[in-house]
Amino acid sequence: MRKSIVVLIVAVLAVAAGAVVLSLSAPVLDEEVEYRLTSLYYRGQEISSQVDGDEVLDLLSQYEYAAIMSAHTHSNINYIHRKNGKEIFEHVTGTTCGAWWRSTVCTEGTPIGFGLYRIDGNRMEEWAYRSVRHDEQFQIRLYRASDTFVGGAKYRFKQTGADQIVANIWNWDPSWTVNVYENDVLSGQMTRNSDIDAWTVAYHIGLLNNTDSYRKSSDHMFYYTLKNPAAAVRVEAIDRFGNKYEQTVFTDPAEHPGDFHADF
């Protein structure tokens, strides 16, 4: 790929002096993440079928501020690239169609929805994910780790203890803090864990008989072992901007992501 082509794309997308937001279909990410940029288009024409993501990041790192907005995965991922001493935030945003119009969630359990981004001057100052038919407080889905879901017991979390809980916090990034309260007393912090959202996968594959392309793990799954399994539980997530989100309601294992699909 000729570097001049990428320079042209970056130049076209520059929003202010010293700043650029690169918008793509497929994510850049890196070798350790499932999805990687494989093609690049300009005005509807494919200009490279083998884009070097590292080269793109090298170009973006030359700007005072750079960010990437991508999609394609039907999942929500916040990923921070580090290149030439710069941090480049990639926002892979979930979809309003979920997992290809099959339910009200994306492949890894993110509710159908969209991203909100506030740009002040020449940079993104704040962002959030907004789920359809929910208010801005809905940022956590909570499960009992021992539950089995509609679609079959074959699809379980890695943690299955009766004293364990699991949370899907889809807009998480490394600056978030996730606390657990038992009977309104701080008990500890949840542990992040790469895992499937068993509630989502059981429905998409176990009930709908979709292929394994619907079996997606994510890095925004968390678990915690309760000190008192009978306690009233509250999970609190604090994002990088200081916003606090809480969840006390556990997902009913008798429900599934398609229950309200006809309403959308």
Side-chain angles (χ1 to χ4, degrees):
M1 181 185 64
R2 293 177 299 168
K3 183 175 288 189
S4 59
I5 294 176
V6 179
V7 172
L8 170 63
I9 299 299
V10 171
V12 168
L13 293 171
V15 296
V20 60
V21 176
L22 178 62
S23 183
L24 317 160
S25 173
V28 177
L29 301 182
D30 70 10
E31 293 86 349
E32 298 178 356
V33 182
E34 182 175 0
Y35 297 99
R36 184 169 174 81
L37 180 63
T38 57
S39 60
L40 190 64
Y41 289 78
Y42 178 60
R43 292 185 176 178
Q45 299 296 314
E46 184 176 14
I47 57 176
S48 174
S49 60
Q50 295 296 322
V51 172
D52 186 341
D54 191 64
E55 186 177 0
V56 173
L57 293 172
D58 186 60
L59 289 166
L60 291 175
S61 70
Q62 298 173 29
Y63 288 81
E64 180 182 345
Y65 174 82
I68 301 170
M69 301 184 72
S70 56
H72 182 71
T73 65
H74 291 254
S75 57
N76 201 73
I77 307 167
N78 286 317
Y79 189 81
I80 300 176
H81 301 276
R82 290 176 173 82
K83 186 68 174 178
N84 298 331
K86 295 283 187 67
E87 287 191 350
I88 301 171
F89 208 114
E90 181 166 6
H91 305 270
V92 186
T93 304
T95 69
T96 54
C97 71
W100 301 280
W101 297 273
R102 302 302 174 90
S103 69
T104 57
V105 293
C106 298
T107 56
E108 35 55 275
T110 297
I112 59 174
F114 50 90
L116 297 171
Y117 301 90
R118 180 171 65 83
I119 296 177
D120 187 3
N122 63 352
R123 65 183 57 237
M124 289 184 187
E125 292 291 351
E126 193 169 358
W127 51 85
Y129 189 84
R130 177 67 63 86
S131 303
V132 172
R133 292 196 174 180
H134 292 280
D135 64 23
E136 63 275 7
Q137 264 293 313
F138 186 59
Q139 301 290 335
I140 307 166
R141 192 180 293 280
L142 194 57
Y143 304 99
R144 297 284 183 184
S146 58
D147 281 342
T148 57
F149 303 103
V150 176
K154 177 181 177 181
Y155 307 98
R156 304 290 300 276
F157 297 115
K158 289 179 179 178
Q159 283 72 34
T160 58
D163 59 348
Q164 294 180 308
I165 62 173
V166 174
N168 189 340
I169 307 176
W170 40 86
N171 210 35
W172 174 89
D173 71 52
S175 292
W176 286 50
T177 301
V178 184
N179 299 316
V180 177
Y181 291 81
E182 298 186 45
N183 294 326
D184 287 326
V185 176
L186 179 63
S187 178
Q189 292 190 347
M190 298 195 81
T191 300
R192 187 166 62 92
N193 183 33
S194 180
D195 199 1
I196 63 169
D197 184 303
W199 181 69
T200 295
V201 174
Y203 177 70
H204 285 156
I205 300 180
L207 190 64
L208 297 187
N209 295 314
N210 288 308
T211 67
D212 272 353
S213 63
Y214 287 78
R215 186 188 183 98
K216 294 292 171 61
S217 296
S218 79
D219 288 333
H220 49 69
M221 301 296 296
F222 293 78
Y223 74 92
Y224 186 78
T225 301
L226 298 171
K227 296 177 174 63
N228 175 11
V233 175
R234 173 164 54 93
V235 172
E236 174 193 67
I238 306 172
D239 70 14
R240 63 170 47 230
F241 309 111
N243 300 308
K244 295 183 179 181
Y245 310 103
E246 295 184 347
Q247 185 59 272
T248 59
V249 178
F250 285 89
T251 302
D252 184 346
E255 296 180 351
H256 59 67
D259 278 345
F260 310 105
H261 191 207
D263 295 336
F264 289 86

